Amino acid sequence: MTNFLILLFGVTMIYASSSTRVESYIKTLSFQGVLLFLIVLGNHTWTDYISLAFLAAETLVFKAIIIPVFMTRIVRKNGIFREVEPYIPYFYSLIFTSLMFAAGIFISFWVIDQMQNLRPVYFGVAVSVIISGMFLIMTRKKLITHVMCYIMMENGIFLLTLSVIKEMPMIVNLGVLLDIFAAVFILGLFATKINEAFDEMDVKSLSELKD
Amino acid sequence: MAEIILLATVPFAALIFFSRSRVLNNTLLILYSAGFLYGAFAAKTGPGMLSPYIEIDGLGKLFLCIMSCVFFAAMLYNFSYPPKERESEQSHARYSAAVVIFAGSMAAFIMSAHLALAWVFIEATTLASTYLIYYSGTKNSLEASWKYIFICSIGISLAFIGIVFLSLATGKEGTLFYSDMRQNAAVIDGFWLKIAFVFILTGFGTKAGLAPVHAWLPDAHSEAPSPVSAMLSGALLNTAMLGIMRVFKIMKLAGYESFASALILVMGFFSLIVAAVFVSRVKNYKRMMAYSSIENMGIMAIGAATGGLGAIAALIHAFSHSFLKSAFFMTAGNMLKIYHTGVTAKTGGLLRKNPLLGWLFLILFAALSAVPPSPSFLSEYLIVAEMLKKGGLYAAGAAVFLLLIAFVVYGMAKTVFFIAYGKDESPEENVKLPFMLYAPVILLLAAAIGAALIMPQFLTDIFKNAIDCM
């Protein structure tokens, strides 16, 4: 069951790469949060109930609800044009992310006999999501989609940490969580400021400083 | 003591945030940085009150001392340097609180004994300093801060991927405490360790401003208010470099020294090339200084990767670059007060306008170009000596190294001499500045040169302990 959810998590990146509207990115983010929540719940090897509760709250409350709501508000407030505006055709993005997904599956098969303390499917899909996230950042023009793809990449990194059977200390988990949310909110606020200053939220407007 | 100051960071920041008096805030900042200075030099290495997560080792103590000196000087400078014109008390309070959080998280990174915890703090430095870079509120500063937070966040995420790989590599029992990893280096899985190192080097290299992941650095350094530029260049870059050095040590103990040092050398030399190419093209003197920072980080990386005397040189260079470059950025702040522009072509005749500042500027340039008795001379000399001793490819590297440094110095000299001697259109002469804007520059310069000439016992002890950890 968990493996199915993880594969579904990988498929969300393919959906994101082919969708044309900013709203569907937000929906993807929310859906990924729910999926991560279910994956965490399905992880029966967790013995420590405090960290289990903590991770569940992180995924369900923050990743699935607060961040998507925050992003929706930014999009509404700034009157952002709803088209994603990629540099390359959607078809190529779709092909790239699909290939990455396939590569992720291959990686999972390959790591099965490499490592003992690793969950192979988690690992492969996490790698594919991280690479797809970076690819989406590079090929989209809007700053707000950059932020969303950054969150997708962070979701992939979250899955990567789940793939290691050994747990990080609680204090580290808490710190990482705080950092990422602060980063997302600061990025969101700055995106709003850039929209006010330049009248558009596009990487083209950020080309004043160069040598 | 250092731990107490560290714990005081958040309450202190809150206190500053809610107090609405500019003078009080600036005084509190100086008090806090003085506390740091005392705490750093009085710190004892080994387990402390926050063990096992926060512990100071020899290397950490050296970097903490350097950081606290730079921080203290920058706060002295900050006292009479309004970071922007017509600021409200409220925004100044926010600025001061962000400075405290920034410095506190840098110190926490240096002191943390757990790699993943160190990651948390280095990301915190990004978040705190973004507001500082944005502070002047112009379009350019907005652009610079966006690039800074986005590039650094992605880079630091890569470092986190590396940390996850490293926790795979350490096996079922191993932890991510530096001491633990050093002890069990022999049993760490080589394949995953190597991949982890590549990611961590890229991630921390982004923060350290090593090419090819240096893109944020010139923008952020040139747009930030000058006290912040001084801290970014003098403290933050070093801090990230410390992270690279610590992971490099584990690679060394695990027997992958040649692999790791080859990667670091490539990044180091590439930084020198980037600096040499761009420094002669820049049109803004603060950007010129930023490229010089990239060059100096490259020198430190090359020294650390060469090993032997080079490792000692890297530490000396960290000290030298921090003191001199932060002083250099403070003179740039003074020049902004005189010329009201960062564009080199609109300046000139500094020696005539303000002889003291002009001479300080020239002397700092000479010291950064490693003219003896600058400590930079010592470090660059040691690196070249070690490379020649190793022979072969390293000897050829030494020649390229010297050539690239010469190019950088030439590129900087063009800008520096234009500012000092060039023709100046504006008629006003002898622009007066408050003494507090010179004092920290003179202090830092005197400390760097004095340390190189006198080498007091307490300083050599700090260096010796640090070298033992390399």
Side-chain angles (χ1 to χ4, degrees), chain B residues 27-280:
Chain B
T27 317
L28 283 174
L29 279 177
I30 291 180
L31 275 179
Y32 177 73
S33 60
F36 243 121
L37 195 63
Y38 172 73
F41 279 96
K44 288 196 177 59
T45 53
M49 54 186 286
L50 296 176
S51 290
Y53 283 102
I54 302 277
E55 267 180 29
I56 305 176
D57 59 351
L59 205 53
K61 174 155 181 179
L62 172 67
F63 278 82
L64 200 59
C65 290
I66 296 174
M67 187 220 113
S68 58
C69 289
V70 170
F71 180 39
F72 181 62
M75 288 307 104
L76 281 183
Y77 185 79
N78 185 54
F79 190 79
S80 33
Y81 187 95
K84 76 174 171 188
E85 284 149 25
R86 288 199 303 277
E87 55 181 352
S88 69
E89 305 277 302
Q90 193 181 3
S91 70
H92 188 265
R94 258 187 259 146
Y95 165 86
S96 307
V99 168
V100 170
I101 300 278
F102 178 41
S105 43
M106 272 194 293
F109 175 86
I110 295 171
M111 288 158 75
S112 53
H114 189 278
L115 182 57
L117 191 66
W119 183 90
V120 171
F121 290 122
I122 203 160
E123 175 70 13
T125 63
T126 314
L127 301 175
S129 47
T130 306
Y131 181 69
L132 299 175
I133 293 168
Y134 166 67
Y135 190 63
S136 60
T138 59
K139 274 189 177 186
N140 281 351
S141 67
L142 194 55
E143 179 183 341
S145 47
W146 175 268
K147 284 181 185 166
Y148 173 65
I149 187 172
F150 205 74
I151 294 175
C152 285
S153 291
I154 300 255
I156 292 293
S157 304
L158 291 182
F160 192 73
I161 296 173
I163 290 170
V164 173
F165 285 157
L166 196 55
S167 95
L168 269 179
T170 51
K172 277 213 166 67
E173 269 75 49
T175 61
L176 288 176
F177 285 102
Y178 294 123
S179 54
D180 204 31
M181 285 192 284
R182 283 197 290 262
Q183 262 172 19
N184 305 327
V187 294
I188 294 183
D189 186 296
F191 175 76
W192 291 103
L193 178 61
K194 280 196 224 167
I195 297 186
F197 180 73
V198 173
F199 276 98
I200 294 175
L201 178 64
T202 319
F204 286 172
T206 313
K207 283 295 273 193
L210 290 175
V213 280
H214 66 284
W216 62 273
L217 196 147
D219 299 351
H221 280 59
S222 60
E223 290 306 321
S226 286
V228 178
S229 310
M231 275 170 71
L232 282 175
S233 185
L236 179 67
L237 302 184
N238 268 347
T239 307
M241 191 56 97
L242 173 68
I244 295 177
M245 283 177 180
R246 284 196 163 138
V247 184
F248 180 56
K249 168 82 179 174
I250 294 159
M251 290 293 283
K252 246 195 238 178
L253 292 174
Y256 299 106
E257 190 182 353
S258 55
F259 171 82
S261 64
L263 282 175
I264 301 180
L265 280 175
V266 167
M267 281 181 99
F269 273 103
F270 196 46
S271 307
L272 285 186
I273 294 171
V274 164
V277 170
F278 280 94
V279 80
S280 58

Side-chain angles (χ1 to χ4, degrees), chain B residues 392-413:
Chain B
L393 216 64
Y394 274 104
V400 177
F401 178 74
L402 287 175
L403 194 68
L404 287 172
I405 289 179
F407 270 123
V408 175
V409 171
Y410 167 72
M412 283 171 74

Side-chain angles (χ1 to χ4, degrees), chain B residues 184-422:
Chain B
N184 305 327
V187 294
I188 294 183
D189 186 296
F191 175 76
W192 291 103
L193 178 61
K194 280 196 224 167
I195 297 186
F197 180 73
V198 173
F199 276 98
I200 294 175
L201 178 64
T202 319
F204 286 172
T206 313
K207 283 295 273 193
L210 290 175
V213 280
H214 66 284
W216 62 273
L217 196 147
D219 299 351
H221 280 59
S222 60
E223 290 306 321
S226 286
V228 178
S229 310
M231 275 170 71
L232 282 175
S233 185
L236 179 67
L237 302 184
N238 268 347
T239 307
M241 191 56 97
L242 173 68
I244 295 177
M245 283 177 180
R246 284 196 163 138
V247 184
F248 180 56
K249 168 82 179 174
I250 294 159
M251 290 293 283
K252 246 195 238 178
L253 292 174
Y256 299 106
E257 190 182 353
S258 55
F259 171 82
S261 64
L263 282 175
I264 301 180
L265 280 175
V266 167
M267 281 181 99
F269 273 103
F270 196 46
S271 307
L272 285 186
I273 294 171
V274 164
V277 170
F278 280 94
V279 80
S280 58
R281 292 178 39 175
V282 292
K283 306 210 163 43
N284 178 314
Y285 50 85
K286 273 182 101 174
R287 290 181 81 85
M288 180 270 291
M289 295 175 183
Y291 278 109
S292 160
S293 289
I294 296 178
E295 176 226 359
N296 282 291
M297 284 299 123
I299 293 173
M300 269 173 77
I302 291 170
T306 311
L309 286 175
I312 303 172
L315 297 183
I316 298 175
H317 203 82
F319 160 73
S320 169
H321 168 250
S322 292
F323 277 52
L324 297 173
K325 184 54 67 57
S326 47
F328 211 34
F329 269 112
M330 289 172 199
T331 61
N334 292 352
M335 273 147 56
L336 276 176
K337 287 269 171 270
I338 293 178
Y339 295 111
H340 306 288
T341 173
V343 182
T344 315
K346 289 183 185 158
T347 62
L350 186 63
L351 277 176
R352 189 171 51 81
K353 278 196 151 151
N354 191 330
L356 176 58
L357 183 61
W359 281 111
L360 281 175
F361 186 56
L362 281 178
I363 294 171
L364 279 169
F365 164 67
L368 275 167
S369 317
V371 174
S374 149
S376 292
F377 171 74
L378 189 60
S379 55
E380 288 173 22
Y381 174 78
L382 286 176
I383 291 175
V384 172
E386 178 68 24
M387 283 178 141
L388 290 179
K389 204 171 85 187
K390 284 201 166 176
L393 216 64
Y394 274 104
V400 177
F401 178 74
L402 287 175
L403 194 68
L404 287 172
I405 289 179
F407 270 123
V408 175
V409 171
Y410 167 72
M412 283 171 74
K414 279 208 299 196
T415 309
V416 169
F417 287 129
F418 179 82
I419 293 173
Y421 295 103

Side-chain angles (χ1 to χ4, degrees), chain A residues 115 154 166 179 193 197 208 211, chain B residues 120 157 167 170-171 192 291:
Chain A
M115 292 300 287
E154 289 295 343
K166 195 170 56 177
D179 274 350
K193 283 225 182 296
E208 192 61 32
D211 292 302
Chain B
V120 171
S157 304
S167 95
T170 51
W192 291 103
Y291 278 109

